[in-house]
Amino acid sequence: MELTQLRYFLQVYHMKNICSASARLNVTQQAVSKQIRKLEDELGVALFLRNPRGVEATAYADMLAKKVQGFLPELDALVSDIQKRDTEIAGVVRLGIQCWQMSVAHGLKYEVLKAFEQAYPRVRLIWENSIPGRCLGGLREGAFDLVVMGVQEHPEDLELTPLRQTGWYMLMAKGHPLASRAVLHTNDLAGQRIILSGNEAKVRSEIIAMLEGQKKPEFIGVEDFIFDLIGQQIEGNGAMMLTTEITQDMFNPARFVMVPLTGSPWQTKLYLARLKDMPHSPAAQALHQFLLEKWSDSSQPSVVNGDE
């Protein structure tokens, strides 16, 4: 069964005349009749009864038309969309991503970038992790078309679209002294045993700096995210793990709790940023929309150009 046969069949079904259908399809009557016969031979039933005025649909034709009318227009639209993308959207688009944000925990999955490349095969995507200053400077200097970054203020020359907001938590055993707290503050981390995935030096130094001379925590590095080892450290040694909501469903709630950290250092608000009042290439426009659909917390985020 071929798409051409189904298209010819549907045209004949609606017009009830092979001659009229062939004119609409801009093909010969013989071509239409041949495809209809091939379709009938494959199905083993008669789809039309011929008469002097044209054709009359059989019950089998009614059944087939009901199904074909449902998916054929959608299939044609999909083919058209694919062809349009392939023929119209091409070029190079450069994306900057603030360091430490490109991770499953923050919702920025690498697979989304691969999916974009597959959806737009004629677009070359170049992306790099950069510090905030490099992201902002690169955008203004033309090194990036788009950047994903946190922004403390809202510069007038940027169009900022809210993308994601990620909170941080402390995962601990239910028997931990802080487990009953509604929220934790940075000062609560003083003197605690803290598990960090990967033993990240940058995060350790930031926590120590925020504690301002209070008793330093004891940091425990975990190279691999192995639940049993983490559980033993948490329940057996009274440790807490710095994590995001990504681990919410990975630990038994009967044994473990996640207490949110409060305060600006523990809230990461990311924006998709681009320059205002500047023409954007079709490739950059396509990437902008694609990332909003795949990475955003909301399907239709609003654009912020002033204070929140």
Side-chain angles (χ1 to χ4, degrees):
M1 188 178 298
E2 300 175 0
L3 290 178
T4 299
Q5 295 171 352
L6 296 177
R7 290 191 178 93
Y8 286 12
F9 157 76
L10 205 57
Q11 197 66 247
V12 173
Y13 179 84
H14 286 307
M15 304 195 76
K16 304 184 186 311
N17 189 285
I18 291 179
C19 181
S20 300
S22 64
R24 177 66 62 85
L25 293 165
N26 197 28
V27 296
T28 65
Q29 288 183 240
Q30 291 80 1
V32 174
S33 296
K34 181 179 179 181
Q35 293 299 331
I36 295 297
R37 283 197 302 272
K38 287 176 64 177
L39 186 57
E40 289 178 325
D41 289 343
E42 184 173 346
L43 295 173
V45 297
L47 295 173
F48 298 106
L49 300 177
R50 279 68 174 174
N51 59 52
R53 295 190 302 273
V55 295
E56 179 182 349
T58 66
Y60 298 111
D62 292 336
M63 292 172 59
L64 182 60
K66 184 177 180 180
K67 292 293 184 181
V68 172
Q69 288 176 143
F71 76 82
L72 197 56
E74 293 182 5
L75 183 59
D76 287 338
L78 176 61
V79 171
S80 175
D81 185 50
I82 291 174
Q83 292 174 338
K84 183 178 179 181
R85 285 183 175 183
D86 188 47
T87 57
E88 293 186 5
I89 300 182
V92 177
V93 59
R94 296 172 174 83
L95 172 68
I97 302 175
Q98 183 177 324
C99 289
W100 311 105
Q101 304 305 323
M102 191 67 181
S103 67
V104 174
H106 288 177
L108 304 188
K109 298 181 180 180
Y110 173 71
E111 290 79 4
V112 168
L113 301 183
K114 299 299 294 183
F116 175 81
E117 291 176 332
Q118 293 172 359
Y120 297 89
R122 298 187 63 192
V123 175
R124 183 186 175 202
L125 173 61
I126 301 173
W127 69 277
E128 70 173 72
N129 283 318
S130 299
I131 60 175
R134 161 65 180 161
C135 284
L136 196 56
L139 192 61
R140 288 170 170 158
E141 295 166 7
F144 296 130
D145 299 289
L146 299 167
V147 297
V148 176
M149 63 180 296
V151 181
Q152 298 298 323
E153 300 177 354
H154 293 164
E156 294 183 356
D157 61 335
L158 297 187
E159 176 189 297
L160 300 175
T161 306
L163 193 63
R164 301 190 65 85
Q165 180 161 318
T166 302
W168 289 89
Y169 298 78
M170 280 297 178
L171 174 73
M172 65 191 75
K174 278 201 166 182
H176 194 283
L178 298 177
S180 60
R181 296 276 296 274
V183 296
L184 295 178
H185 301 272
T186 302
N187 291 344
D188 294 318
L189 306 184
Q192 298 292 338
R193 295 169 61 86
I194 300 177
I195 300 172
L196 295 177
S197 178
N199 199 20
E200 296 173 357
K202 181 178 185 292
V203 179
R204 289 202 310 271
S205 61
E206 287 180 348
I207 292 176
I208 292 172
M210 285 188 288
L211 289 174
E212 296 181 350
Q214 299 180 64
K215 185 177 180 181
K216 294 181 181 179
E218 177 186 345
F219 294 103
I220 305 170
V222 179
E223 296 299 333
D224 297 309
F225 202 81
I226 301 175
F227 298 143
D228 289 343
L229 296 180
I230 293 173
Q232 289 172 16
Q233 289 284 355
I234 291 175
E235 292 187 304
N237 297 320
M240 303 186 296
M241 181 176 180
L242 180 64
T243 184
T244 63
E245 62 266 25
I246 194 70
T247 58
Q248 186 76 50
D249 301 320
M250 297 180 181
F251 290 86
N252 187 346
R255 297 163 51 194
F256 302 93
V257 296
M258 290 178 64
V259 183
L261 284 157
T262 188
S264 57
W266 305 110
Q267 294 295 320
T268 303
K269 190 166 187 178
L270 296 178
Y271 294 89
L272 191 58
R274 60 185 179 182
L275 288 178
K276 276 186 186 178
D277 306 323
M278 176 180 176
H280 303 288
S281 70
Q285 292 276 29
L287 179 62
H288 187 274
Q289 185 60 36
F290 197 87
L291 295 184
L292 290 183
E293 293 173 359
K294 303 298 183 181
W295 274 352
S296 178
D297 284 328
S298 171
S299 59
Q300 294 183 344
S302 56
V303 175
V304 215
N305 295 316
D307 294 333
E308 291 183 343

